[in-house]
Amino acid sequence: MELKVKIYLTDDEGVKFMGIGVIWLLEEIERAGSLRKAAMNLGISYTKSYAMLSRAEENLSFPLVERRRGGSSHEGAVLTEQAKEFIKLYRAFQSKAKERVAKEYEDFAASLSCLHKENDDGQI
């Protein structure tokens, strides 16, 4: 048996707007220098990546990406300082939350082990 934990944030209506996928998208934008290239590198459509980014920015109430137009490709994007700080905060939060859940899971698994032992002894 194995524990899998997914952490994401939702808006007031329960619609997911932030999870590890948005973090991966932001990190790929940082590497690729473009939302379009980041989406392509992650194997998601530009439309989906744009919607993910827009929902996150709307719900967080600050810009994550500064879009730049110009040059021959007419595209480009860089993360805002707020986005870079948000990635650090989110990753730290996610790590701490998963550590706490893992500890609770250890306790749960130990309790299950006791149930198995009781069953093996013919006791219920």
Side-chain angles (χ1 to χ4, degrees):
M1 184 166 40
E2 188 177 335
L3 175 69
K4 294 287 183 186
V5 178
K6 288 187 176 185
I7 298 173
Y8 55 90
L9 306 176
T10 63
D11 64 18
D12 293 338
E13 297 170 5
V15 177
K16 179 180 166 182
F17 72 87
M18 174 57 65
I20 195 64
V22 177
I23 298 297
W24 291 339
L25 177 61
L26 291 171
E27 291 171 338
E28 193 58 35
I29 290 168
E30 180 79 349
R31 281 189 284 279
S34 153
L35 178 58
R36 186 173 306 282
K37 288 177 187 173
M40 191 169 38
N41 292 348
L42 293 172
I44 58 177
S45 73
Y46 174 81
T47 302
K48 180 176 180 173
S49 64
Y50 185 85
M52 290 167 60
L53 187 58
S54 295
R55 262 193 317 276
E57 288 179 326
E58 179 182 333
N59 284 281
L60 293 171
S61 300
F62 58 83
L64 295 169
V65 174
E66 179 184 321
R67 290 138 177 105
R68 295 184 174 166
R69 296 193 182 273
S72 61
S73 65
H74 300 288
E75 63 181 43
V78 295
L79 298 186
T80 64
E81 289 305 313
Q82 291 152 311
K84 292 174 186 178
E85 187 61 27
F86 179 77
I87 291 169
K88 290 177 194 172
L89 290 171
Y90 189 87
R91 285 219 176 259
F93 160 70
Q94 181 185 39
S95 178
K96 287 178 187 176
K98 285 186 174 186
E99 285 173 16
R100 289 181 181 167
V101 170
K103 172 61 178 129
E104 292 298 322
Y105 177 73
E106 287 175 20
D107 295 346
F108 169 72
S111 296
L112 281 180
S113 179
C114 289
L115 291 176
H116 286 279
K117 184 177 180 183
E118 289 175 12
N119 195 23
D120 291 344
D121 292 342
Q123 300 172 358
I124 297 180

